[in-house]
Amino acid sequence: LDEPIADPAAINTYLISKAARDAGVKVLLTGMGADEVFSGYRSHLACLKADYYQKLPLTTRKALECFALRIPQSGKGRNYKYIRWLKSFLRVASLPQRERSMIIANSALTEDAYEAIFINPIKYYDSHYVKKYCALYDGCPDRTYLTKMCYLNTKLYLTDHNMTYSDKAMMAAGVEGRPPLIDHRIVELMFRLGDGFRIKGNTQKYILKKVAEKYLPREIIYRPKAPFSAPMRGWLKTELSEMVNDILSYESLHKRGFYNPEYVQKLIRDNDSGLEDNSQLIWRLMVNEIWFKTFFG
């Protein structure tokens, strides 16, 4: 991948592409862009719901958020999906709209986590991603909150992350990926339409699903969302646990001098105990550290 892109979906993409190539298929259509352009991410809906949550008294919200911190997110061999979602929501629900949308999908650390994880960090709002996100968000003040979230995801997450890893993973298998849903005419149309074409009630990607009704059965169109990921949470606690403890050991991180080893060890302990789901962040740190070792020794 040439750069530390911490998304196990690159593995899935490569394996699918390799199977296609082995079967003689050289071109695959992908659904990339649908979630960003049409609003398919749960984080979009959660951020909108948080506006209603913030109408609760501050003392009530603080009590809920403190209580949620103590609830485990997983037990022996089992993950509690809805508790994980609830804790993820409550972690950012009281934040302003801009910071909430930036943090909820794990694209950025919270300000507290940022300052805790790095040794001698630059100021949070001067960090590259946060500075870029805030500038783009603040640059379209006349847009609705949902449109801003879709716009930022399309400008940053889609281009810098999703399209980057998918193109590289597919081409590594000798397959060309074509994403028809980000044809510029479709993107331009969607950003001229109101919020109701993206989300209606709790139905996301509304207009895309209504069009799809002409061609596909309803049970396919309206089935529960299934993220395109890998069993990362299980891997980190089983097959990859030894690798995690080696690459992110106190000694290794202390020698690198980039991440705070005490804080990283706490992240791993809380994740292993099931108190917190830190798998995304641990995976990201591990990928970054492997990249450092590979290219800088």
Side-chain angles (χ1 to χ4, degrees), residues 152-176:
L152 267 293
N153 284 159
T154 301
K155 289 284 287 184
L156 298 178
Y157 191 67
L158 177 63
T159 54
D160 294 352
H161 183 85
N162 277 342
M163 294 303 300
T164 301
Y165 87 71
S166 61
D167 182 58
K168 290 182 177 183
M170 296 178 84
M171 289 306 295
V175 170
E176 180 185 343

Side-chain angles (χ1 to χ4, degrees), residues 14-206:
Y14 172 75
L15 294 173
I16 289 171
S17 302
K18 186 175 184 302
R21 181 70 192 200
D22 290 345
V25 176
K26 298 180 181 180
V27 177
L28 288 174
L29 298 181
T30 80
M32 281 295 181
D35 287 330
E36 291 86 356
V37 174
F38 293 91
S39 182
Y41 289 124
R42 292 192 189 98
S43 59
H44 294 170
L45 197 57
C47 282
L48 294 176
K49 299 291 185 186
D51 285 337
Y52 298 100
Y53 170 79
Q54 289 193 7
K55 293 179 180 179
L56 293 173
L58 180 61
T59 52
T60 303
R61 285 187 276 134
K62 289 294 182 186
L64 281 170
E65 291 157 20
C66 288
F67 176 71
L69 288 174
R70 303 174 186 173
I71 305 174
Q73 297 189 169
S74 64
K76 288 186 177 180
R78 185 179 178 187
N79 285 305
Y80 307 132
K81 178 174 68 175
Y82 295 108
I83 293 176
R84 185 174 76 245
W85 290 355
L86 175 64
K87 292 182 77 168
S88 177
F89 173 76
L90 292 176
R91 183 168 58 97
V92 301
S94 289
L95 293 175
Q97 286 186 335
R98 185 184 68 182
E99 280 68 19
R100 189 194 315 158
S101 63
M102 180 172 64
I103 292 165
I104 193 170
N106 290 309
S107 295
L109 296 169
T110 63
E111 188 170 4
D112 289 343
Y114 174 86
E115 292 177 354
I117 204 167
F118 290 107
I119 295 174
N120 301 320
I122 61 174
K123 290 182 179 179
Y124 181 72
Y125 284 97
D126 287 335
S127 62
H128 177 71
Y129 181 79
V130 173
K131 190 174 183 178
K132 192 174 182 180
Y133 190 99
C134 292
L136 284 170
Y137 186 99
D138 295 342
C140 47
D142 56 332
R143 299 293 183 176
T144 67
Y145 186 33
L146 179 59
T147 302
K148 286 181 182 180
M149 287 190 283
C150 290
Y151 173 66
L152 267 293
N153 284 159
T154 301
K155 289 284 287 184
L156 298 178
Y157 191 67
L158 177 63
T159 54
D160 294 352
H161 183 85
N162 277 342
M163 294 303 300
T164 301
Y165 87 71
S166 61
D167 182 58
K168 290 182 177 183
M170 296 178 84
M171 289 306 295
V175 170
E176 180 185 343
R178 295 180 183 173
L181 293 176
I182 52 172
D183 181 292
H184 73 92
R185 292 163 295 187
I186 295 175
V187 176
E188 290 162 7
L189 170 64
M190 282 308 301
F191 280 98
R192 288 198 297 267
L193 299 178
D195 289 358
F197 290 93
R198 286 190 167 100
I199 299 179
K200 192 162 188 176
N202 288 322
T203 301
Q204 295 186 257
K205 295 190 284 193
Y206 179 74

